[in-house]
Amino acid sequence: MTNIRSFKNRPDLYENFKSEVSVQSPGRINLIGEHTDYNGGFVLPSAIDKYISMEFRKNDTENFCRLYSETFKTGFEFQLDKDFSKAEGWENYVLGVVDQIQKMGKKIEGFECIIDSKLPVGAGISSSAALECGIASGLNELFDLGLSALEIVKLSQKAENEFVGSNCGIMDQYSSVMSRKDHLIMLDCDNLDAEYIPADFDDCKLLLLNTNVSHNLADSEYNTRREECETAVKIIQKDHPDVDTLRDVDFTTLEKYKDKLTPTIYQRCIYVLEENERVLNAARTLKAGKLKEFGELMYASHEGLQHKYEVSCPELDFLVDYSRDKDFIYGSRMMGGGFGGCTLNLIEQDKIDSYVEEVSAAYFERFNIKLDAISVFPNVGTQITKTIR
Ligand code: GLA
């Protein structure tokens, strides 16, 4: 019998919820460096000013846990001391985190939690990582578990890999927790060295355009891409045992293995090596204030994702193509895992309103789908407030 019971109505006793710990857990953007994190490569993400709010309190039971989502208008409850099988939807991210915390030998007790999300699901801005990291941070504070920020990042990623079953890298969780306001994180996913680069975009702003599509290929194809890269590494490893990830492979070495890899896998590898170079160049151009060059790298990243890594979709390509002849847009690319979600656009601030109007009409005309525009800025990672009971 399952230990998880779902319910629809907001529990009455949540009317005057006396919160002990409040958490704001943000979504993230990634300026460049897509599908590089699980290949030991570079990424350039940041948390954003849109987040999931969570309120936690103990309920003085040893094992009874109950959570309610204001966003989905559903809740669920479970017992900590019974096995929890996989559930459906957002519940899994919560259960996965609790499972990891328990596997680490940390003791939590019964709790109540209200979740309110302002992050669109399936938009590629990591609502799942925000949920995982927020739950982990809240429980850490509520039960004084003594977990470091990095432990929270890693356990949340593990929850997603092992419980939810998505083989994601570390970028989303790292940026949701570790970001600083008005900075981007130049993260080396090989050793987690992080450099914080000021996000100075001059007269430009970052604009997300949400395709409002999320093709169901996303999960399976994501895991397939990862396997393709790992297959290449295994083949190269036979002669080069020091190669752990594609990060350890250079273009000359890759070329020598062209005939041993399928054409598809070879293309995937080329993309990853090129994208890593683009991230390094992007960080340089950003520091030098060369925003147009930075934007060109964004376009090049999109082309690689579209043609070599093949994780884009017609809706994303349409939006990127639509921006190309607009000189007030410096760069545009799909963001996140792909197959839907948002494009990220570096656009002159005073042109945003008129462009959103124009591109929304064109998008609707082409796909009969409403486009959503979301202005974002790089913001601080997880925020935690504790109230004394
Ligand atoms: C998803 C994953 C990340 C990363 C991106 C692609 O967001 O969760 O780990 O791999 O896709 O860059």
Side-chain angles (χ1 to χ4, degrees):
M1 212 181 78
T2 177
N3 164 30
I4 295 145
R5 193 187 76 81
S6 300
F7 58 87
K8 286 231 173 305
N9 295 327
R10 190 183 207 266
D12 289 345
L13 79 165
Y14 279 19
E15 270 324 305
N16 293 308
F17 194 88
K18 291 214 168 39
S19 176
E20 291 174 65
V21 173
S22 304
V23 175
Q24 290 182 350
S25 190
R28 64 103 189 87
I29 45 171
N30 183 27
L31 272 287
I32 194 162
E34 224 61 89
H35 288 272
T36 44
D37 59 351
Y38 55 83
N39 284 306
F42 299 103
V43 291
L44 197 60
S46 169
I48 51 173
D49 53 314
K50 311 276 180 292
Y51 47 79
I52 304 180
S53 304
M54 301 178 198
E55 303 292 342
F56 293 83
R57 72 169 171 77
K58 292 180 189 161
N59 60 15
D60 302 323
T61 71
E62 225 170 294
N63 292 303
F64 176 74
C65 306
R66 176 165 45 197
L67 299 96
Y68 181 72
S69 162
E70 296 285 9
T71 321
F72 298 121
K73 308 280 176 231
T74 61
F76 73 108
E77 48 194 45
F78 63 99
Q79 298 281 344
L80 287 169
D81 58 342
K82 303 222 171 87
D83 272 358
F84 17 98
S85 48
K86 236 175 125 166
E88 287 295 314
W90 64 274
E91 293 88 337
N92 269 333
Y93 300 98
V94 176
L95 293 168
V97 167
V98 172
D99 182 51
Q100 278 304 323
I101 290 178
Q102 292 193 324
K103 282 187 176 143
M104 290 171 85
K106 300 280 179 187
K107 173 126 179 71
I108 59 172
E109 294 178 355
F111 68 90
E112 311 280 340
C113 175
I114 304 185
I115 303 171
D116 194 358
S117 177
K118 298 283 176 280
L119 298 177
V121 172
I125 56 174
S126 286
S127 55
S128 47
L131 181 56
E132 292 150 4
C133 296
I135 293 287
S137 304
L139 295 179
N140 184 40
E141 198 65 38
L142 193 64
F143 296 107
D144 291 321
L145 303 181
L147 295 167
S148 69
L150 195 56
E151 281 176 311
I152 286 173
V153 168
K154 288 183 175 171
L155 85 85
S156 300
Q157 183 201 9
K158 229 169 161 204
E160 184 143 352
N161 291 165
E162 293 178 5
F163 199 90
V164 181
S166 163
N167 235 338
C168 67
I170 201 163
M171 168 174 75
D172 302 347
Q173 291 80 6
Y174 194 98
S175 42
S176 181
V177 175
M178 311 292 256
S179 289
R180 296 184 192 159
K181 188 171 161 46
D182 295 328
H183 284 75
L184 302 168
I185 312 174
M186 168 75 185
L187 182 67
D188 181 338
C189 298
D190 191 34
N191 52 20
L192 297 186
D193 273 357
E195 184 192 354
Y196 288 82
I197 300 179
D200 187 357
F201 301 124
D202 216 355
D203 294 335
C204 288
K205 288 265 185 243
L206 296 171
L207 175 72
L208 296 175
L209 294 177
N210 188 356
T211 59
N212 279 318
V213 297
S214 171
H215 296 292
N216 55 12
L217 283 171
D219 280 349
S220 62
E221 287 296 310
Y222 185 92
N223 288 345
T224 306
R225 292 299 173 282
R226 192 165 177 161
E227 280 159 28
E228 287 167 341
C229 295
E230 285 165 1
T231 301
V233 167
K234 275 193 201 116
I235 291 171
I236 299 171
Q237 245 171 9
K238 284 186 190 149
D239 306 320
H240 301 273
D242 50 329
V243 166
D244 286 329
T245 62
L246 284 180
R247 171 68 181 286
D248 306 322
V249 179
D250 57 23
F251 285 100
T252 320
T253 310
L254 182 62
E255 207 49 39
K256 289 191 190 131
Y257 286 85
K258 191 170 179 181
D259 296 339
K260 292 191 177 152
L261 306 173
T262 66
T264 302
I265 292 189
Y266 176 72
Q267 284 304 309
R268 307 289 191 244
C269 296
I270 287 281
Y271 163 77
V272 172
L273 268 57
E274 286 176 350
E275 183 77 349
N276 276 331
E277 285 202 337
R278 278 190 288 266
V279 183
L280 294 172
N281 284 332
R284 263 181 234 124
T285 54
L286 192 62
K287 285 187 210 163
K290 295 179 176 165
L291 289 183
K292 294 240 161 162
E293 279 179 41
F294 185 87
E296 289 307 317
L297 291 164
M298 291 174 73
Y299 278 119
S301 168
H302 184 81
E303 266 156 48
L305 289 158
Q306 180 181 1
H307 299 297
K308 293 183 179 155
Y309 218 65
E310 296 181 288
V311 289
S312 188
C313 63
E315 294 86 352
L316 289 165
D317 296 339
F318 176 87
L319 292 176
V320 172
D321 287 343
Y322 198 86
S323 75
R324 278 185 204 276
D325 63 347
K326 316 282 182 290
D327 57 6
F328 54 86
I329 297 181
Y330 295 8
S332 178
R333 56 180 288 273
M334 58 150 275
M335 196 182 71
F339 302 102
C342 292
T343 61
L344 175 68
N345 303 272
L346 185 61
I347 176 171
E348 285 175 13
Q349 187 172 359
D350 57 351
K351 303 291 193 312
I352 291 182
D353 289 347
S354 56
Y355 183 66
V356 166
E357 202 174 310
E358 180 186 337
V359 70
S360 300
Y363 184 75
F364 190 82
E365 164 98 17
R366 171 74 177 74
F367 296 104
N368 207 19
I369 301 172
K370 190 177 156 294
L371 188 70
D372 281 327
I374 315 168
S375 281
V376 290
F377 62 82
N379 204 13
V380 63
T382 325
Q383 297 258 272
I384 304 161
T385 323
K386 195 164 185 173
T387 327
I388 312 292
R389 241 221 286 206

